[in-house]
Amino acid sequence: KLHSRTESSSKAAFLDHSETLWMRMTCKHTNSPVIDAFAVPKWLSMSSGCILALLRWVSSFHGSLFPHLTLSSEDMIAEFSQVLNWSDCVVRAFAWHPHTDKFAVALLDDSIKIYNPKSATTPTLKHRLQRSVAAVQWKPLCASALAVACQNCLLVWHVDPCSLSTRPSSGCAQVLSHPGHSPVTSIAWSPSGSLLLSASPMDSTMMVWDVAAESCVPLQRVGGGGVSFLSWSPDGSHVLASTPSALFRVWETRMWTCERWPCVKGRCQSGCWSPDGSRLLFTVQGEMVIYALTFTDAPGQLSHSGPQAAAVVADLSETTFSTPDGDIVVGGEIQSLVWDPRGERLAVLLKGDPQAADRPAIIAVFKTRANPIFELLPCGFVQGEAGAEPRLMQFHPNFQHGALLTVCWSNGRITHVPFYFVSAGVPHFGLSGSPLLPHPQQRPADFVNQSLFTEFLS
Amino acid sequence: MNGSGIKIKATKDLHYICNFNCSIQVICWRAVASIAWAVLLLPPITLVFVIISKFSFLHPIQTISECLYLLTSASGIFSFILLCGVILIVGFLHLEYYTVIPTIACSKIALLGQLLHPRHFINSLVHCFMGVIVAWCCAVTMGLRYETLGYPCTESDGHPQMCLNEYHLILLLAGAFVGFSHSLLGVIYNMNYVSFHTVQQYKYLRFKRCLPLVVKCSATQALYSVRNYIVMYLFLGKCPFFMNKISVHPLDSIAGLLDLSLLYHLWSSATFLLLTWNITLLLFRIFVTEVYSFPVQSSFTEDSHQCLPKVLTEKQPMILKFLALQDLALLSQHSPSRRCEVFSLSQPGGHPHNWNAISKECLSLLTDLTQRLVAYHDTVATNGRAKSLSSGSERKTSSETSVTSGTEDLMSPRPVFLMKTPASVFARSVAGTPQSPLTSLFTPDLDSPFASPALRRLTAPVDQCSPWYGTVQSPHIMRRAPKLWSTSTDSQVNGSPTPSPASVPSPKPEPSKPSFLAQFLQNRKEQVLKPCHKLPEASSQALFADSQAHIWALEGLSYLVQASFSEDQFGVVQTTLPSILSCMLVLQEAVDRHFKLPHASSKPVRSTSSMGDSTYKTLRFALRATLKTAIYRITTTFGDHLNAVQISAEHRKRLQQFLEYKE
């Protein structure tokens, strides 16, 4: 930990220094014709000054087109992360394993812990390059591989589930990096486990990694100024890629062509796919509604029968609720959306207003119904202990008795919120479900917020 | 009798052509299309080259008028036609020399043999000749002092004479040199290897993505070639044979060659040459590897040889088999209607012919790889034991090149499936060398009182311990080595009697040997033998050279099995499920064992600035990952139902590990 910090600081110092040296040189050349020994021809100093000015002008122009490019990388991750207030959040990223009851948690000190109820050891992953973790995700159809989006690169850890070691060496991690592709803010494994996508708001290309071969295919499209958020549909046919400007793309994964979707107001903040990959819900920054896009086609013919416009499916404008503690205002902008693997519950993390006490960040849960028409029915709210606000949430990928929402709170607690219901549709893919989840012992906050549930059964 | 042999071959060829007429045509048409595109791209590239070579900052208008004049002149048009001809020949050479399975030279001598192979030598000569032609075209284009080979000049005594224009000559020779070195590098970096991509893209997008890379590669390669050429020219210019030339401007001095404009023109024409050739190569690769969709079954019997199950089973040409496997992997993943055809029954009779043919071919591919791996592993194990003495001592003294013997003649016992490695020709001669008596002479004396105990521990057990052989660099493993030895499970598996560490016969040289001389001789010997040594991990790469086929077979099988869970109406897959599972598990075991060998899991150095495709270097990692994913895909889909499948107890245990996500 200490090691990495010193390295980063020294690097920063070095860069600064070279910059000042360069500045000093240019200053000297233009301002002091006194030194005869180093006198350069006048035209040279003039032309270099002109080129410098031109470069500055171009970069400032580029910056004014895409304001996010002027942010520092930490600020950029905080801006585009799915986590609410990423910079001061204790839990920076969270990922359930897609098949078993284990999860990985990235903490503020850049370490990652892996909890497994069936094993006594909790491996801690640390790596020299593992800084400012923005996202983690387990590889599907694999027991051990965990992809981590870091500040300068992408790490793929191979954590042997049978190993008793609590500190896997950094030799267990593959480092995937590409020049100009940092910071990485979003990653997505293909559901078949063969490819890994990574995106950076600084880089307008989206990388498709073949992790085993450590090679990548850059997919570039003009416009947008970067890629901030990725989401792969559960059936593997489409990928949502949102950009920092008011534009997002939906790629089809057969031939990797894309559809452009310009937004009116702001950038696409978050999105999620229905389990069959036919419906995409997304939210736009600055608007308080959830949009839906429906893809009814076979994969490969996206452009022919795709949707023409997004439909509004829910309006989350501010509403006042009276509670025993006083009135609270719920609604407003949306930070993130998650949909449970059966497609029956949708959780929406509302940003709230950190300044106003009566506008807390809160999770609203909806029941979703696809037939006869798609609709969202309000189900309830999830609220934490006093003073704790939700930062990050994810559904358990295969909870047998309904849906299990895992929420990471601002005070560092992680709670599991179960929703018990009888599934209306056919059982989800895969017959080997996990057994009933044992609550990990260090989660005392379970069921603290039972009183806020509107219902357990539907 | 010779004639009858030819006749038989001819009828065979005819048969083969008839069988694959359509499919072969596909490849040919693709090659022709790629050449046509390369020719179409030639005018813009030439235009850019003309502008670059003629551009002057001070007279921009004049530049443009000169360019326009050149493009409409007869010589300009003639040289352009010549360039088109060169592109055509390069394109057909690609079609002739391309391969989907790279030839991996396992030692430097094998590489040399590859370079001197008549086939490649002819290729190099043709490239050399075409380099001269392109250079001549460049000379004509650039005009000025480069334009003609001779020019009228006056001698000191006053009467007119034809002189040799050395600027023209230097350009022509540069063309020959660059062409020759291009083809040599092509052999070294496997530039004729055509790899398939995991990510499918349209041809135009793929070309657009690769174009900047190609330009960069060509420019850097041209820079290095020109540098080497200048050095060579400088030295050859000093030769008396070359001194005879009649020239006014002698260019065989350093000052004469350090002419910036000359260097610039050399570099730009070399870049132009390499760029046109590399673009032809790029287009060829893109066109040939495009996905081709084979019909799964045909309603007409005469078309049945074009169907997927039939094409899969054919051995030649390789590219068709690869395309068919790629198509299988894609259809199993993306196309429910074609999967349905795979699972269907034949109309009269009700046999699942399609599925049987496909699964049989995939399984035989996988079994073949398993056998190859097992054979390789056995060879390594026995070899390591037999030569433990010499290899151990040698490794200890040679610092970095720790792979010496032990992995030598492994090419030979392997089933010779698709392997065209010429290394095997040399394997015999290579294998004997390290066992020379010299080696044992210079081993450090372990029994002498002067040897430190640490040294003794270092050498004694690790030698015999074949799985860890060669990985002594890590102290972590060093510590474990004695323990492994004492259990001696390894030896029982291999079935050969093991000598105990105490009974290792160690040579007894003079205790007071002058180590100075020994060291010197050792170094000499290493330098002499260096080219004969195996390149690290090359044999591992050679084992997995055609693994792209296995990867597709695994993907295709696992996706089909996954889909069969809900789509297979007649249960045709169920009958083969046990054999598929056991085949995959056996392969998994073999692959796991292989990756425990030294250098098998070391990552290759990545070279980005070369046109050569290095995908084959990482195929073994891709295969390992795909294999695991494939087994997980089946276990995740079927879950506990797999307990009803008839497989051996050992495999069931292994499968249970997968079911619990502990692999």
Side-chain angles (χ1 to χ4, degrees):
Chain A
K1 181 63 214 150
L2 196 66
H3 177 63
S4 71
R5 276 285 181 247
T6 51
E7 191 188 70
S8 79
S9 63
S10 70
K11 195 177 173 189
F14 177 72
L15 278 177
D16 272 340
H17 183 69
S18 75
E19 202 168 300
T20 52
L21 191 69
W22 169 243
M23 296 301 280
R24 255 186 306 174
M25 271 168 69
T26 52
C27 284
K28 216 156 220 172
H29 279 173
T30 46
N31 298 339
S32 61
V34 192
I35 314 163
D36 279 345
F38 297 111
V40 287
K42 184 132 188 167
W43 62 270
L44 191 63
S45 63
M46 283 281 286
S47 59
S48 61
C50 283
I51 290 171
L52 202 66
L54 193 71
L55 280 179
R56 278 202 198 121
W57 183 76
V58 166
S59 73
S60 70
F61 178 68
H62 197 220
S64 69
L65 267 185
F66 301 114
H68 70 276
L69 294 178
T70 55
L71 292 174
S72 75
S73 62
E74 292 251 344
D75 291 345
M76 196 179 292
I77 297 173
E79 172 75 23
F80 296 110
S81 169
Q82 292 291 295
V83 185
L84 187 61
N85 296 330
W86 177 85
S87 30
D88 69 334
C89 191
V90 182
V91 177
R92 290 194 145 173
F94 176 92
W96 274 109
H97 190 276
H99 308 291
T100 53
D101 292 326
K102 68 175 171 186
F103 58 82
V105 181
L107 301 173
L108 188 61
D109 65 347
D110 295 337
S111 66
I112 294 178
K113 282 187 186 298
I114 295 171
Y115 293 98
N116 187 352
K118 287 178 194 156
S119 144
T121 54
T122 52
T124 308
L125 311 178
K126 284 187 183 178
H127 195 281
R128 191 167 57 84
L129 294 168
Q130 189 171 292
R131 275 179 282 150
S132 308
V133 176
V136 291
Q137 199 178 7
W138 291 93
K139 178 180 174 178
L141 298 177
C142 182
S144 58
L146 176 73
V148 182
C150 308
Q151 194 174 26
N152 292 320
C153 64
L154 201 62
L155 291 176
V156 180
W157 285 94
H158 294 272
V159 191
D160 185 2
C162 301
S163 164
L164 295 174
S165 150
T166 52
R167 273 293 300 272
S169 78
S170 55
C172 301
Q174 279 178 285
V175 182
L176 307 175
S177 64
H178 194 269
H181 194 69
S182 69
V184 182
T185 57
S186 186
I187 46 176
W189 283 99
S190 72
S192 64
S194 52
L195 299 171
L196 175 66
L197 282 180
S198 74
S200 163
M202 287 291 277
D203 191 2
S204 59
T205 56
M206 183 171 87
M207 298 291 166
V208 187
W209 292 93
D210 183 351
V211 174
E214 297 190 4
S215 64
C216 70
V217 177
L219 297 175
Q220 186 157 29
R221 289 292 185 276
V222 180
V227 182
S228 55
F229 173 71
L230 294 170
S231 171
W232 207 310
S233 73
D235 68 336
S237 59
H238 295 100
V239 175
L240 165 73
S242 70
T243 67
S245 50
L247 167 76
F248 69 93
R249 298 192 176 89
V250 179
W251 292 82
E252 62 81 28
T253 59
R254 186 84 189 273
M255 295 304 282
W256 291 100
T257 52
C258 69
E259 266 187 358
R260 278 167 63 96
W261 284 91
C263 309
V264 180
K265 230 173 173 174
R267 66 182 156 90
C268 171
Q269 165 67 31
S270 179
C272 59
W273 292 89
S274 66
D276 59 353
S278 65
R279 189 168 277 116
L280 168 68
L281 298 185
F282 66 94
T283 62
V284 173
Q285 200 184 34
E287 292 189 39
M288 301 176 189
V289 292
I290 300 175
Y291 290 100
L293 281 176
T294 314
F295 299 91
T296 50
D297 49 359
Q301 295 137 17
L302 185 67
S303 51
H304 299 302
S305 53
Q308 298 304 310
V312 176
V313 288
D315 187 353
L316 300 178
S317 309
E318 294 184 349
T319 322
T320 309
F321 285 89
S322 53
T323 60
D325 306 334
D327 289 0
I328 57 166
V329 179
V330 171
E333 278 197 49
I334 296 160
Q335 176 69 23
S336 66
L337 292 173
V338 282
W339 207 335
D340 94 280
R342 298 184 194 212
E344 305 230 356
R345 293 289 182 278
L346 178 78
V348 181
L349 175 54
L350 297 161
K351 271 181 188 168
D353 187 354
Q355 266 76 48
D358 61 338
R359 294 181 176 192
I362 200 167
I363 295 174
V365 182
F366 293 88
K367 275 195 280 186
T368 54
R369 199 161 63 184
N371 288 317
I373 51 159
F374 181 74
E375 54 187 340
L376 293 178
L377 308 168
C379 176
F381 298 107
V382 178
Q383 201 179 29
E385 301 165 7
E389 62 175 3
R391 290 292 170 85
L392 175 60
M393 55 184 186
Q394 193 178 32
F395 274 105
H396 187 282
N398 40 24
F399 184 61
Q400 295 243 299
H401 307 274
L404 181 77
L405 182 67
T406 304
V407 186
C408 306
W409 302 92
S410 57
N411 56 5
R413 284 182 191 279
I414 296 174
T415 60
H416 303 302
V417 184
F419 299 84
Y420 293 102
F421 55 85
V422 178
S423 183
V426 287
H428 186 55
F429 158 78
L431 296 174
S432 65
S434 56
L436 177 57
L437 183 83
H439 299 295
Q441 63 277 16
Q442 72 273 48
R443 308 275 166 265
D446 255 348
F447 299 109
V448 161
N449 39 15
Q450 269 187 7
S451 58
L452 270 169
F453 282 174
T454 48
E455 58 183 297
F456 271 87
L457 296 164
S458 61
Chain B
M1 63 174 197
N2 227 349
S4 67
I6 288 169
K7 212 162 125 191
I8 288 171
K9 191 171 183 302
T11 48
K12 255 188 190 168
D13 281 356
L14 196 67
H15 177 70
Y16 158 83
I17 287 168
C18 291
N19 249 352
F20 276 99
N21 209 357
C22 295
S23 314
I24 287 283
Q25 270 180 4
V26 168
I27 304 296
C28 289
W29 275 117
R30 286 179 169 193
V32 167
S34 76
I35 294 169
W37 273 107
V39 170
L40 278 180
L41 281 174
L42 194 58
I45 299 171
T46 318
L47 190 68
V48 170
F49 169 68
V50 168
I51 290 171
I52 283 177
S53 65
K54 286 204 172 278
F55 192 75
S56 68
F57 267 109
L58 303 176
H59 310 287
I61 309 281
Q62 197 189 343
T63 310
I64 294 173
S65 67
E66 270 180 16
C67 292
L68 284 179
Y69 171 71
L70 180 80
L71 291 177
T72 50
S73 71
S75 65
I77 290 173
F78 177 65
S79 61
F80 182 74
I81 291 171
L82 269 184
L83 284 177
C84 291
V86 168
I87 293 293
L88 285 180
I89 295 174
V90 169
F92 282 111
L93 281 179
H94 286 151
L95 179 60
E96 179 59 33
Y97 279 86
Y98 83 95
T99 170
V100 286
I101 302 163
T103 37
I104 294 161
C106 290
S107 66
K108 296 225 166 120
I109 291 229
L111 189 63
L112 193 67
Q114 225 171 315
L115 288 175
L116 294 178
H117 194 278
R119 197 174 133 84
H120 284 298
F121 196 69
I122 290 171
N123 188 20
S124 301
L125 282 186
V126 174
H127 272 98
C128 198
F129 179 65
M130 286 190 303
V132 174
I133 295 179
V134 175
W136 185 82
C137 296
C138 290
V140 168
T141 315
M142 287 188 286
L144 301 175
R145 53 182 181 176
Y146 302 101
E147 196 153 4
T148 53
L149 187 59
Y151 65 98
C153 59
T154 49
E155 286 248 334
S156 49
D157 56 348
H159 67 87
Q161 204 193 352
M162 280 304 272
C163 288
L164 177 74
N165 180 4
E166 202 176 348
Y167 288 109
H168 187 82
L169 182 72
I170 204 173
L171 203 63
L172 291 193
L173 288 179
F177 181 84
V178 174
F180 193 71
S181 67
H182 175 78
S183 91
L184 282 193
L185 286 178
V187 176
I188 293 172
Y189 293 124
N190 266 319
M191 241 182 256
N192 60 345
Y193 166 56
V194 174
S195 73
F196 290 80
H197 295 269
T198 42
V199 175
Q200 305 300 324
Q201 271 181 299
Y202 288 110
K203 291 192 288 282
Y204 163 69
L205 291 173
R206 182 163 284 170
F207 178 74
K208 202 178 80 178
R209 181 167 64 77
C210 296
L211 193 60
L213 281 178
V214 169
V215 172
K216 205 181 95 187
C217 283
S218 309
T220 48
Q221 200 190 334
L223 202 64
Y224 287 118
S225 296
V226 166
R227 184 197 64 185
N228 299 342
Y229 170 68
I230 291 284
V231 171
M232 205 186 76
Y233 191 84
L234 196 67
F235 284 111
L236 287 186
K238 299 281 183 212
C239 284
F241 175 73
F242 290 95
M243 285 291 273
N244 292 337
K245 61 192 178 237
I246 312 150
S247 164
V248 177
H249 314 284
L251 282 178
D252 53 3
S253 67
I254 294 179
L257 281 174
L258 276 182
D259 176 357
L260 271 187
S261 123
L262 175 69
L263 291 181
Y264 173 70
H265 281 128
L266 280 180
W267 173 76
S268 60
S269 39
T271 307
F272 171 68
L273 183 152
L274 290 174
L275 185 64
T276 49
W277 292 4
N278 283 340
I279 282 184
T280 317
L281 176 63
L282 174 71
L283 283 168
F284 179 77
R285 281 182 186 165
I286 291 175
F287 271 82
V288 151
T289 57
E290 203 196 351
V291 176
Y292 184 76
S293 179
F294 295 87
V296 177
Q297 61 181 5
S298 163
S299 39
F300 305 105
T301 44
E302 56 265 31
D303 290 344
S304 67
H305 61 266
Q306 296 173 33
C307 291
L308 188 63
K310 196 79 186 161
V311 179
L312 269 182
T313 51
E314 297 291 338
K315 291 266 180 288
Q316 287 293 334
M318 244 9 243
I319 180 106
L320 273 185
K321 193 183 174 95
F322 272 57
L323 282 175
L325 280 166
Q326 185 185 30
D327 188 39
L328 172 71
L330 288 174
L331 88 87
S332 63
Q333 204 171 342
H334 294 296
S335 165
S337 59
R338 294 178 71 200
R339 277 199 301 255
C340 185
E341 285 181 59
V342 172
F343 297 140
S344 68
L345 300 180
S346 65
Q347 203 35 268
H351 296 287
H353 287 307
N354 294 332
W355 165 252
N356 282 348
I358 288 172
S359 65
K360 194 172 149 227
E361 181 55 29
C362 291
L363 285 180
S364 80
L365 271 176
L366 298 181
T367 317
D368 181 79
L369 180 66
T370 313
Q371 281 169 0
R372 217 189 296 171
L373 287 175
V374 168
Y376 176 84
H377 197 273
D378 288 351
T379 326
V380 171
T382 51
N383 248 4
R385 184 132 310 134
K387 292 184 192 167
S388 61
L389 198 69
S390 63
S391 63
S393 56
E394 199 169 289
R395 188 186 55 246
K396 230 193 64 51
T397 39
S398 67
S399 52
E400 293 307 311
T401 55
S402 59
V403 179
T404 49
S405 59
T407 44
E408 236 82 339
D409 50 353
L410 313 159
M411 296 289 132
S412 30
R414 190 150 42 84
V416 279
F417 173 67
L418 321 168
M419 280 292 163
K420 295 181 284 185
T421 325
S424 50
V425 181
F426 298 92
R428 287 286 131 225
S429 63
V430 170
T433 40
Q435 268 196 317
S436 62
L438 254 178
T439 325
S440 52
L441 202 64
F442 294 124
T443 40
D445 184 16
L446 297 179
D447 289 353
S448 81
F450 302 107
S452 70
L455 183 75
R456 210 172 302 168
R457 185 166 51 90
L458 214 130
T459 41
V462 184
D463 287 348
Q464 283 84 14
C465 181
S466 56
W468 302 102
Y469 163 72
T471 51
V472 255
Q473 289 90 340
S474 152
H476 173 67
I477 290 164
M478 281 298 305
R479 258 181 279 116
R480 260 202 285 178
K483 200 170 82 193
L484 258 176
W485 173 257
S486 59
T487 53
S488 81
T489 46
D490 182 45
S491 61
Q492 275 156 17
V493 171
N494 285 317
S496 65
T498 44
S500 74
S503 74
V504 174
S506 65
K508 290 245 179 187
E510 294 296 314
S512 58
K513 189 160 258 316
S515 60
F516 230 59
L517 182 66
Q519 197 63 44
F520 177 75
L521 281 179
Q522 182 68 41
N523 287 345
R524 287 300 99 192
K525 192 184 70 103
E526 261 164 36
Q527 279 171 14
V528 170
L529 288 182
K530 207 160 188 180
C532 311
H533 290 164
K534 287 268 167 184
L535 299 173
E537 64 159 321
S539 46
S540 192
Q541 279 175 18
L543 265 180
F544 289 94
D546 61 336
S547 279
Q548 186 64 62
H550 305 119
I551 290 172
W552 281 325
L554 281 170
E555 281 186 352
L557 273 185
S558 64
Y559 277 115
L560 281 176
V561 170
Q562 182 185 32
S564 77
F565 190 74
S566 51
E567 290 175 15
D568 178 14
Q569 296 173 357
F570 308 108
V572 295
V573 176
Q574 271 183 29
T575 51
T576 33
L577 194 53
S579 55
I580 289 175
L581 277 174
S582 55
C583 182
M584 284 183 179
L585 288 172
V586 169
L587 181 59
Q588 159 83 14
E589 205 172 313
V591 167
D592 273 357
R593 244 169 54 151
H594 180 81
F595 271 90
K596 285 184 182 140
L597 292 177
H599 290 295
S601 51
S602 60
K603 299 267 173 189
V605 189
R606 266 198 278 165
S607 59
T608 45
S609 60
S610 146
M611 268 304 283
D613 202 324
S614 57
T615 319
Y616 64 91
K617 289 183 182 166
T618 50
L619 272 180
R620 59 182 187 278
F621 301 106
L623 179 90
R624 181 173 61 167
T626 312
L627 177 58
K628 212 167 244 189
T629 309
I631 300 177
Y632 268 121
R633 189 169 290 133
I634 296 175
T635 55
T636 313
T637 311
F638 282 82
D640 292 332
H641 295 268
L642 284 181
N643 292 331
V645 177
Q646 298 282 326
I647 45 172
S648 71
E650 193 188 337
H651 286 164
R652 189 174 301 283
K653 223 167 100 186
R654 200 75 201 265
L655 216 53
Q656 196 57 38
Q657 294 277 313
F658 277 96
L659 281 170
E660 289 168 6
Y661 293 94
K662 284 186 176 165
E663 269 298 319

